[in-house]
DNA sequence: AGAAAAACATGATAAAAGTCATGTTTATCC
DNA sequence: GGATAAACATGACTTTTATCATGTTTTTCT
C-alpha cells in the first residue's frame, strides 16, 4: 500500500506543526483556510531550488520542515548566503511586497517539505487582517536591522572572528540535535559555511581545524559541537 | 533685526520643499497637519549627531536639506557607514516600527535642516492611513533588498571594485552640483568614503589617485567627477 | 592672520586571506 | 557494491589590503 509518490502531502495550515513558529501563529482559522485553499505542499531533496534570483515571485514559500539557504550569486561564480531559513520561516514575501523580482535564490540544504501559497491568497490575508500586516512590518523592520548588523560585521571583523561568531549563531539559532547530543542541529558543507562567513572554503577548513585543536569545538562530519563557548565568544569579539 | 538664533525654523510639512521626494509626498493635508503639530525643525552643523546606536527611538527624523550618514561603530573603533540620507529621507522609523533600540548612529556630514516628528504622531498617521502604511512597507522591503545587495557586494568584490561601484552609486544618487559642473554633489572625506566602501582610509586615497591618473575620475578637494564612466563600470564589474 | 588640528598623501612593511596543486576521505549513483 | 564524483584536508605560494611612519596640505578656531 505504500505509494512512492510522497512528494505531495498538502497538510492544511490549521494542522501544520511549524505554524506555531511562524508569522501565521495566531491567525484565525478563517484566514488559515483561505491560505490553505490553493496552496501546494511539496517535499524537496537537498540541492533543489525553490526559486532563482531575477525571476518574478508568484507567491510565498512556507517551510514545514527542513532547511533552505537563501543566497546571491556573484559575477565570480561564488555565492553569498544571506540567511538560512528553517521550519516556520517564510520565503519570498520580501520581493512580493516590494513588487520586485527575486533578489536572491533559494536552495534546499536539508530535505524539506515546503508549502507554496499563491500571491493572491497571501495578499488577501494581508489586506483583510491589519494585525497580521503590522506583525509582518515589524518582522521586516527587524530583518533589516539584522542585515545591517551582518554588513557591519563583514566589514569590520576578520574571517576568524566571523567564523567564531557564525558557529555561535548557528548554535543559538538551530539548537542541538535531540537528546544527549551536543551537536548543533544543522549539517552545513564547508563550502556553505564559507559562503555564510564570506570567505574561501579552504580558509574555513583550516580555521575549523584550528578551533578544534585549540579545544573550542568538536567536529563530527558536517556537524559541529561547541566545547568551549567562553573562548569562542572571545575569538568572535576581538581578534586573537 | 537679524536674529542669530536661526537654528529653529519650523517649516510646516505642507510647505516643505523636500516633501515631494519623501514618503510623505502624497499625504492629504489633514495628515500633514497632524505631523506638523508637534514637530520641531532644527539646523545641524557638520559633525553633530541625531542619535546614537543603543538608545531608544522617540520619533522620526525627516531631512529638509543636508546629508546625514547612518553608521555602526565596530569594537575596533572603526565605523561602517550603512547609507547616507539626503533631503526627503526618513531616519529612525525602522527601529521605531520593530520596537527596538537604534541599531545605528546618525551624524550630519553636510550642514542640514532636519525635522523631528514625535513617535505618537507618526504612529497615528500610520494607523489612520493604510495606503501610507503599505507604501512604507514597500519601502522597507525594498531597503532590505538593497542591504542584501550591499552585503553580497562586500563579500564578493575587491576593494577596487567596490570603490568604483561606490563612485558610480554616488553619481547616481546625489547627481551633479548645479549648472555647468560635473562634480558629484556630495563632499565626503576620504575617511567617510573608506567607511562606505569598507576599507582603510589609506587604501581609498591610493585607489582614488590611481583612478585619477588612469583618467577615470577627476578630484577637486573632497568632490569627485566621473570622467570615463565606461571604464569605471568595467572596474566595478570584475577586477582589472 | 596665525596657530593648532584635522585631513590628505605616499612609502615601506606586515599580515591576512585567496589561489593553486594535490592527496585523501566520504557520499552518491547505477 | 564498486565506480565516480563530491567534499574535505593540507601545503606552498601569491595577492590583496591593513598598518605604521612620516611629511604635506587644508581647515578650523580664536
Amino acid at each position: 500500500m505504500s505509494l512512492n509518490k510522497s512528494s505531495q502531502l498538502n497538510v492544511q495550515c490549521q494542522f501544520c506543526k511549524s505554524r506555531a513558529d511562524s508569522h501565521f501563529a495566531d491567525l484565525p482559522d478563517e484566514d488559515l483556510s483561505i491560505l490553505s485553499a490553493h496552496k501546494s505542499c511539496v517535499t524537496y531533496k537537498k540541492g533543489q531550488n525553490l526559486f532563482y534570483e531575477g525571476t518574478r515571485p508568484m507567491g510565498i514559500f512556507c517551510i514545514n520542515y527542513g532547511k533552505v539557504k537563501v543566497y546571491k550569486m556573484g559575477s565570480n561564480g561564488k555565492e553569498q548566503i544571506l540567511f538560512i531559513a528553517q521550519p516556520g520561516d517564510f520565503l519570498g514575501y520580501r520581493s512580493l511586497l516590494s513588487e520586485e523580482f527575486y533578489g536572491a535564490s533559494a536552495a534546499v540544504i536539508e530535505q524539506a517539505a515546503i508549502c507554496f501559497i499563491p500571491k493572491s491568497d497571501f495578499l488577501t490575508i494581508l489586506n483583510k487582517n491589519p494585525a497580521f500586516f503590522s506583525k509582518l512590518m515589524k518582522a521586516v523592520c527587524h530583518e533589516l536591522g539584522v542585515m545591517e548588523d551582518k554588513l557591519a560585521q563583514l566589514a569590520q571583523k576578520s574571517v576568524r572572528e566571523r567564523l567564531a561568531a557564525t558557529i555561535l549563531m548557528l548554535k543559538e539559532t538551530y539548537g542541538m540535535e535531540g537528546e544527549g547530543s551536543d551537536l548543533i542541529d544543522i549539517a552545513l558543507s564547508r563550502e556553505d559555511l564559507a559562503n555564510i562567513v564570506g570567505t574561501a572554503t579552504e580558509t574555513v577548513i583550516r580555521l575549523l581545524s584550528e578551533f578544534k585543536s585549540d579545544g573550542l569545538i568538536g567536529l563530527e562530519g558536517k556537524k559541529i559541537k561547541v566545547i568551549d563557548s567562553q573562548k569562542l565568544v572571545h575569538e568572535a569579539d576581538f581578534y586573537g
Side-chain angles (χ1 to χ4, degrees), chain A:
Chain A
M1 285 298 281
S2 82
L3 293 169
N4 239 350
K5 198 181 177 190
S6 66
S7 68
Q8 280 281 122
L9 10 124
N10 263 14
V11 186
Q12 293 270 43
C13 292
Q14 286 97 320
F15 308 118
C16 173
K17 283 179 306 183
S18 306
R19 189 166 60 85
D21 305 319
S22 86
H23 296 310
F24 291 152
D26 31 47
L27 232 48
D29 273 6
E30 186 192 329
D31 291 355
L32 289 176
S33 57
I34 294 177
L35 288 172
S36 292
H38 310 104
K39 89 181 165 79
S40 50
C41 204
V42 178
T43 59
Y44 292 85
K45 274 178 295 202
K46 185 175 161 182
Q48 288 187 291
N49 266 82
L50 300 186
F51 54 79
Y52 291 95
E53 194 174 346
T55 63
R56 183 186 302 278
M58 307 297 281
I60 67 156
F61 294 87
C62 193
I63 303 181
N64 185 340
Y65 70 80
K67 296 194 179 67
V68 177
K69 66 177 173 185
V70 177
Y71 63 96
K72 282 173 94 76
M73 211 68 182
S75 47
N76 47 18
K78 285 210 149 180
E79 61 183 46
Q80 175 63 30
I81 295 180
L82 300 173
F83 68 99
I84 294 179
Q86 58 177 335
D89 284 345
F90 293 174
L91 289 181
Y93 70 103
R94 210 268 304 149
S95 302
L96 207 65
L97 294 176
S98 63
E99 296 172 49
E100 295 166 310
F101 291 152
Y102 283 124
S105 307
V108 171
I109 56 171
E110 278 179 21
Q111 158 124 352
I114 296 165
C115 296
F116 176 82
I117 297 168
K119 178 175 170 171
S120 59
D121 290 339
F122 183 69
L123 294 180
T124 299
I125 300 305
L126 222 52
N127 289 319
K128 187 172 170 296
N129 189 333
F132 177 62
F133 198 130
S134 291
K135 190 171 183 175
L136 210 58
M137 171 69 114
K138 190 172 170 179
V140 178
C141 286
H142 175 74
E143 273 313 302
L144 184 50
V146 170
M147 204 51 73
E148 289 176 353
D149 223 79
K150 285 185 186 173
L151 185 86
Q153 301 282 316
L154 186 57
Q156 295 176 337
K157 291 192 166 182
S158 68
V159 171
R160 188 190 192 82
E161 291 170 308
R162 269 145 48 207
L163 178 61
T166 299
I167 294 171
L168 290 167
M169 176 277 286
L170 290 175
K171 183 181 173 183
E172 199 60 36
T173 310
Y174 304 99
M176 303 310 185
E177 299 190 304
E179 302 294 302
S181 166
D182 47 1
L183 293 175
I184 299 173
D185 191 21
I186 186 170
L188 287 169
S189 69
R190 304 290 192 259
E191 188 180 359
D192 279 339
L193 191 49
N195 293 338
I196 295 173
V197 173
T199 190
T201 307
E202 294 94 324
T203 304
V204 159
I205 290 173
R206 270 183 259 268
L207 286 173
L208 283 180
S209 304
E210 267 192 57
F211 285 170
K212 184 183 178 176
S213 53
D214 291 354
L216 307 187
I217 61 170
L219 295 171
E220 277 176 41
K222 291 196 195 312
K223 301 235 172 169
I224 302 172
K225 89 179 114 178
V226 173
I227 294 174
D228 192 335
S229 191
Q230 207 65 38
K231 278 192 192 164
L232 210 51
V233 168
H234 184 259
E235 286 286 359
D237 250 345
F238 303 97
Y239 86 116

